[in-house]
Amino acid sequence: MHNKMRIDILTLFPQLFEAPFGFGIFKRAIDNGLININPINIRDYTHDKHHIVDDSPYGGGAGMVMKPDPIFEAVDAIKEKSEEKDFPIILLTPQGRLFNHKIALELSLHSHIVLICGHYEGIDERVPEHLATDCISIGDYVLTGGEVPALVIADAVLRLVPGVLGSEDSPLDDSHAHGLLEYPQYTRPPEYRGHKVPEILLSGNHAQIAKWRREQIIKRTLERRPELLDKAELGKEDKLTVERLVHPREGSERRKKNKKG
Ligand code: JFT
């Protein structure tokens, strides 16, 4: 089992990756040698005088397409140095499979991954067909390029590397690690602008607090992301909570009244 992770990011804008990893949790992890984030400028792998990385599309059409050769050559250079022989080479693209926590967990098991970011109207299809081992999208909306998706993936994966979060926080506690949304959290003051913290949380009754939190998890997930409940493995108590929320208690009067026929 590895304990370190390297992410190479192929991009036309390597500076975009400086600030996001230059502070807080990721800075500490880099300084401690747990993770290595390595932006690589695709333009460094051109051979012409003007370092051209794009060209007009075959068959016509608007805009420019990224050339395959600098990207293939940049990956060749990475392959020559890599310690892991079957590392994932991931292309960020709106045509990829949808990213989620399970994919983040799978990627975090590797000691080395490569992310390829494109721009313009897209990348020559030979990159997804013959170079990338995986194509991923972070969601159904349109961005200008693959850099922000690469940041999202790097963030989600790197925080799962042992030691990155420190010893206190465990990625096992994550919302989505258990497939449901989290319960609401509060801190001081107990009342702010007339809005009170739920009384149960100030009661000191830990059993009741645990029960309330579990109900909040079910309630929120049902209201905001009901499709997550279909996939989740619920206990008996959770199922009763769902039942109670979906069919709020009605007197027999009202039930008769609603019944048709
Ligand atoms: C957008 C993207 C993802 C992901 C890669 C490359 C160029 C711009 C573009 C926009 C519309 C149609 C190209 C990218 C994404 C996402 C990823 C590129 N563009 N064609 N947008 N939205 N969720 N991953 Cl290369």
Side-chain angles (χ1 to χ4, degrees):
M1 180 63 183
H2 75 91
N3 225 13
K4 282 178 66 174
M5 172 165 237
R6 171 191 184 88
I7 301 188
D8 290 316
I9 304 170
L10 303 193
T11 173
L12 295 176
F13 305 105
Q15 290 110 318
L16 268 177
F17 297 88
E18 285 169 17
F21 299 110
F23 304 89
I25 286 168
F26 292 125
K27 183 180 192 304
R28 184 182 63 194
I30 292 166
D31 291 346
N32 292 340
L34 291 174
I35 61 174
N36 184 351
I37 298 145
N38 183 222
I40 295 167
N41 195 334
I42 294 167
R43 221 175 274 282
D44 292 346
Y45 291 86
T46 54
H47 303 291
D48 62 305
K49 193 170 90 183
H50 298 105
H51 304 288
I52 291 171
V53 292
D54 61 338
D55 205 337
S56 44
Y58 275 124
M64 299 294 268
V65 175
M66 281 179 69
K67 294 162 62 60
D69 37 317
I71 299 173
F72 272 79
E73 288 187 35
V75 171
D76 284 345
I78 292 168
K79 280 178 177 168
E80 279 170 26
K81 291 184 296 185
S82 184
E83 287 164 22
E84 190 182 338
K85 70 173 196 324
D86 281 322
F87 57 87
I89 302 168
I90 298 160
L91 178 68
L92 292 315
T93 163
Q95 281 76 47
R97 63 187 177 128
L98 258 194
F99 188 61
N100 60 29
H101 194 69
K102 181 164 173 269
I103 297 174
L105 275 166
E106 285 164 12
L107 294 177
S108 75
L109 300 178
H110 291 272
S111 60
H112 181 198
I113 68 178
V114 175
L115 302 175
I116 303 174
C117 310
H119 244 83
Y120 313 116
E121 312 317 304
I123 301 188
D124 185 289
E125 191 66 18
R126 286 165 291 192
V127 171
E129 276 289 302
H130 303 294
L131 182 64
T133 60
D134 202 355
C135 295
I136 292 178
S137 169
I138 63 160
D140 294 335
Y141 34 77
V142 183
L143 303 171
T144 55
E147 280 78 9
V148 168
L151 281 169
V152 168
I153 290 177
D155 189 304
V157 170
L158 290 172
R159 64 185 289 288
L160 297 173
V161 172
V164 168
L165 290 185
S167 49
E168 262 184 53
D169 294 308
S170 164
L172 296 176
D173 297 340
D174 294 345
S175 170
H176 291 292
H178 49 64
L180 301 172
L181 302 186
E182 285 182 352
Y183 55 76
Q185 308 205 70
Y186 295 88
T187 186
R188 276 177 283 275
E191 180 174 343
Y192 183 68
R193 298 193 176 186
H195 306 300
K196 291 195 168 87
V197 171
E199 225 165 284
I200 183 78
L201 296 176
L202 312 180
S203 71
N205 185 337
H206 295 291
Q208 283 300 109
I209 289 171
K211 185 164 180 281
W212 180 85
R213 284 180 168 166
R214 188 68 200 175
E215 284 172 4
Q216 292 294 310
I217 286 173
I218 303 295
K219 183 165 184 282
R220 289 191 146 188
T221 307
L222 187 64
E223 285 169 0
R224 301 178 192 183
R225 300 289 306 278
E227 80 281 7
L228 295 180
L229 275 176
D230 301 335
K231 282 186 258 172
E233 286 167 34
L234 299 184
K236 206 168 158 190
E237 202 62 32
D238 289 339
K239 285 179 181 160
L240 286 171
T241 304
V242 173
E243 195 55 32
R244 190 158 42 75
L245 291 168
V246 175
H247 304 289
R249 262 183 281 135
E250 305 176 316
S252 52
E253 276 310 296
R254 202 171 140 67
R255 205 170 314 144
K256 265 185 220 149
K257 213 168 151 189
N258 285 347
K259 199 167 176 182
K260 296 212 173 116

